C-alpha cells in the first residue's frame, strides 16, 4: 500500500466510529424502524424528528451522517432504507442480526475511560453498570436465532427431544429471552433460569410474567457455580455466557452434575481465532476487539482448544464440537 492508500484505510476507521454511533442512535431512538415503516415513500428529516419526538436539526444531521456512511438512502428531501440493511439491523429473529452487536459495542465503550489504566496495571474494572447488562440482552437475540436456525439444524435429535418435553436449565440466563423462546416453541418443556446479576434477574422475571409463562419458567437468583439440582435436567445450556463467569470450570462442573442420564450439556459461544491469517479476517478483528473488552472486565474468551480444555478441567471429558455457519460454535457433552 502507498501512504495515501494506508491513510485512506485508517481514515475509514474514523468514519466507522461515527457509523457505529449512527447505528446506535438510529436503533435507540427508533429512527431506522420509522424509516423502514414509511416505505416506499420514506420520511423527511423533519417528519422523522416529529415522529420520534426529537430535535429537528439533530435528526437532520443524523440522516445526513447515516446516508454518508451508507445506512440510509437520502435524496435531499426524504430518507428511506435498503431492505437488506433494515433486516440486518432490525430483524432479531435471524442469525444475520447485528443490531444487538452495535448496541453492545457502543454501550461497552462507555466504560473505556479506564482502559489505559487497565493496560498499565492489569487491574480490571470493578463491575459493569446495568446499561451494559441490558445491552447484552439485546446482543444475545442473535444467539437465540443462531440456536434455533443453526444449532437445532445441527442437532436434529435435540429438536425431537424438546418437542417431547423435558426439563431445561439455562445457566446465567440474563433477561430470560432464550427461556421464553424455547418455552414458546416447545410447549411440553419445563424450564429454570439461573441468574445472579440483579438487573438481569429483575428483567428475566418481568419478561416471563409479561408473556404469561410463569407456570413453566422459574427464575432463580443463584450463582452459576452453585446449582443444587443433581441429575434433574435433560438439557443444561450456556448461551454466550461461559466466558463471562468468574469460575467457568466450577460452573461447568456444577452444570454437569445437574444433567440426568441421557441428558446433555451444551455451550453456545464464539471462539477466538486460531491462526494469524484467521486473525486478519473481519471475524477475527471483531473477536480480538471483544477479547480486549473481556480482559478489561476480568473475563476472557478462548479458542476451540481452550473451550474444550474447560470441559476436561471440569471432569466432563472431550466435548463434541460443531462450528455453525454464523461463526458460533456448539460444545456438546452427553451423559451415557
Amino acid at each position: 500500500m502507498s501512504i495515501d492508500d494506508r491513510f485512506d484505510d485508517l481514515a475509514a476507521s474514523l468514519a466507522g466510529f461515527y457509523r457505529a454511533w449512527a447505528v446506535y442512535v438510529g436503533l435507540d431512538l427508533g429512527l431506522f424502524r420509522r424509516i423502514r415503516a414509511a416505505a416506499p415513500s420514506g420520511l423527511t428529516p423533519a417528519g422523522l424528528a416529529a415522529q420520534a419526538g426529537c430535535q429537528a436539526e439533530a435528526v437532520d444531521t443524523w440522516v445526513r451522517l447515516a446516508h454518508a456512511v451508507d445506512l440510509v438512502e437520502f435524496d435531499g428531501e426524504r430518507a428511506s432504507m435498503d431492505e437488506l440493511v433494515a433486516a440486518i439491523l432490525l430483524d432479531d429473529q435471524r442469525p444475520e442480526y447485528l443490531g444487538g452487536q452495535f448496541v453492545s459495542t457502543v454501550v461497552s465503550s462507555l466504560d473505556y475511560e479506564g482502559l489505559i489504566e487497565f493496560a498499565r496495571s492489569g487491574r480490571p474494572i470493578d463491575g459493569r453498570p446495568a446499561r451494559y447488562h441490558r445491552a447484552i440482552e439485546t446482543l444475545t437475540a442473535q444467539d437465540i436465532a443462531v440456536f434455533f436456525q443453526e444449532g437445532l439444524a445441527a442437532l436434529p435429535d435435540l429438536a425431537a427431544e424438546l418437542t417431547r418435553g423435558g426439563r431445561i436449565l439455562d445457566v446465567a440466563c440474563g433477561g430470560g429471552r432464550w427461556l421464553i423462546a424455547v418455552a414458546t416453541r416447545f410447549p411440553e418443556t419445563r424450564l429454570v433460569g439461573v441468574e445472579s446479576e440483579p438487573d438481569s434477574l429483575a428483567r428475566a422475571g418481568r419478561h416471563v410474567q409479561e408473556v404469561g409463562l410463569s407456570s413453566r419458567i422459574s427464575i432463580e437468583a443463584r450463582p452459576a457455580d452453585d446449582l443444587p439440582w443433581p441429575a434433574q435436567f435433560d438439557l443444561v445450556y450456556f448461551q454466550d455466557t461461559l466466558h463471562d463467569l468468574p469460575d467457568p470450570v466450577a460452573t461447568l462442573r456444577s452444570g454437569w452434575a445437574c444433567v440426568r442420564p441421557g441428558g446433555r450439556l451444551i455451550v453456545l459461544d464464539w471462539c477466538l481465532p486460531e491462526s494469524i491469517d484467521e486473525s486478519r479476517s473481519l471475524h477475527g478483528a471483531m473477536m480480538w476487539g471483544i477479547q480486549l473488552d473481556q480482559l478489561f472486565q476480568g473475563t476472557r474468551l478462548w479458542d476451540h482448544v481452550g473451550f474444550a480444555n474447560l470441559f476436561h478441567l471440569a471432569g466432563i471429558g472431550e466435548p463434541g464440537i460443531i462450528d455453525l455457519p454464523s461463526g458460533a460454535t456448539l460444545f456438546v457433552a452427553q451423559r451415557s
Side-chain angles (χ1 to χ4, degrees):
M1 272 191 182
S2 68
I3 190 169
D4 288 341
D5 290 336
R6 183 60 75 183
F7 177 91
D8 290 344
D9 176 59
L10 292 173
S13 297
L14 291 174
F17 170 85
Y18 291 110
R19 192 186 206 201
W21 271 95
V23 172
Y24 177 69
V25 170
L27 292 171
D28 196 70
L29 296 178
L31 304 180
F32 290 126
R33 175 173 53 81
R34 290 179 170 89
I35 293 173
R36 186 191 207 184
S41 60
L43 283 172
T44 66
L48 178 59
Q51 284 192 21
C54 294
Q55 197 263 349
E57 185 177 17
V59 172
D60 182 86
T61 301
W62 177 86
V63 167
R64 294 173 188 276
L65 168 61
H67 174 246
V69 295
D70 202 24
L71 295 171
V72 304
E73 297 167 7
F74 184 55
D75 62 6
E77 295 185 3
R78 307 183 79 84
S80 58
M81 281 194 81
D82 176 84
E83 182 53 30
L84 291 179
V85 175
I88 292 169
L89 294 180
L90 296 172
D91 293 349
D92 61 5
Q93 302 293 309
R94 45 194 308 159
E96 299 89 353
Y97 172 64
L98 280 181
Q101 292 276 3
F102 278 100
V103 171
S104 174
T105 299
V106 171
V107 169
S108 293
S109 74
L110 298 178
D111 300 328
Y112 284 177
E113 63 180 356
L115 193 57
I116 298 299
E117 179 56 32
F118 160 72
R120 290 195 176 109
S121 69
R123 291 190 299 272
I125 56 175
D126 293 332
R128 303 306 278 261
R131 69 182 180 223
Y132 171 84
H133 300 286
R134 291 193 292 268
I136 291 298
E137 182 181 328
T138 304
L139 166 71
T140 54
Q142 181 189 24
D143 299 308
I144 296 171
V146 167
F147 172 81
F148 278 104
Q149 298 187 37
E150 298 180 358
L152 291 184
L155 296 169
D157 54 335
L158 175 61
E161 291 168 11
L162 293 174
T163 299
R164 292 192 293 269
R167 295 195 71 206
I168 301 168
L169 176 63
D170 183 7
V171 183
C173 68
R177 299 292 190 180
W178 182 83
L179 291 163
I180 292 169
V182 172
T184 301
R185 178 164 175 175
F186 301 104
E188 300 303 315
T189 54
R190 298 292 182 270
L191 306 98
V192 176
V194 167
E195 180 56 60
S196 61
E197 195 281 313
D199 189 70
S200 299
L201 185 68
R203 281 184 285 105
R206 186 169 63 250
H207 293 333
V208 169
Q209 287 185 340
E210 287 170 350
V211 295
L213 287 170
S214 299
S215 64
R216 292 176 49 217
I217 301 175
S218 172
I219 305 296
E220 302 280 344
R222 183 174 293 277
D225 58 357
D226 179 20
L227 306 174
W229 300 287
Q232 294 186 31
F233 290 94
D234 301 284
L235 171 63
V236 175
Y237 183 65
F238 295 82
Q239 178 177 272
D240 195 19
T241 192
L242 188 63
H243 62 267
D244 275 327
L245 300 174
D247 193 339
V249 172
T251 301
L252 273 179
R253 187 180 297 119
S254 185
W256 183 239
C258 295
V259 180
R260 63 175 44 151
R264 59 185 116 191
L265 182 150
I266 295 178
V267 172
L268 186 153
D269 223 308
W270 303 77
C271 295
L272 288 174
E274 294 170 345
S275 69
I276 295 298
D277 288 342
E278 188 182 349
S279 290
R280 290 295 296 271
S281 67
L282 176 60
H283 178 77
M286 292 177 64
M287 294 310 301
W288 285 119
I290 294 169
Q291 177 74 330
L292 182 60
D293 183 87
Q294 290 288 316
L295 297 176
F296 178 55
Q297 68 176 14
T299 57
R300 66 174 58 246
L301 289 162
W302 299 273
D303 59 15
H304 289 76
V305 173
F307 271 106
N309 188 50
L310 297 177
F311 281 74
H312 288 288
L313 293 173
I316 300 173
E318 185 70 20
I321 300 176
I322 304 171
D323 289 323
L324 302 176
S326 59
T329 300
L330 294 178
F331 298 89
V332 183
Q334 186 159 13
R335 277 201 184 277
S336 58

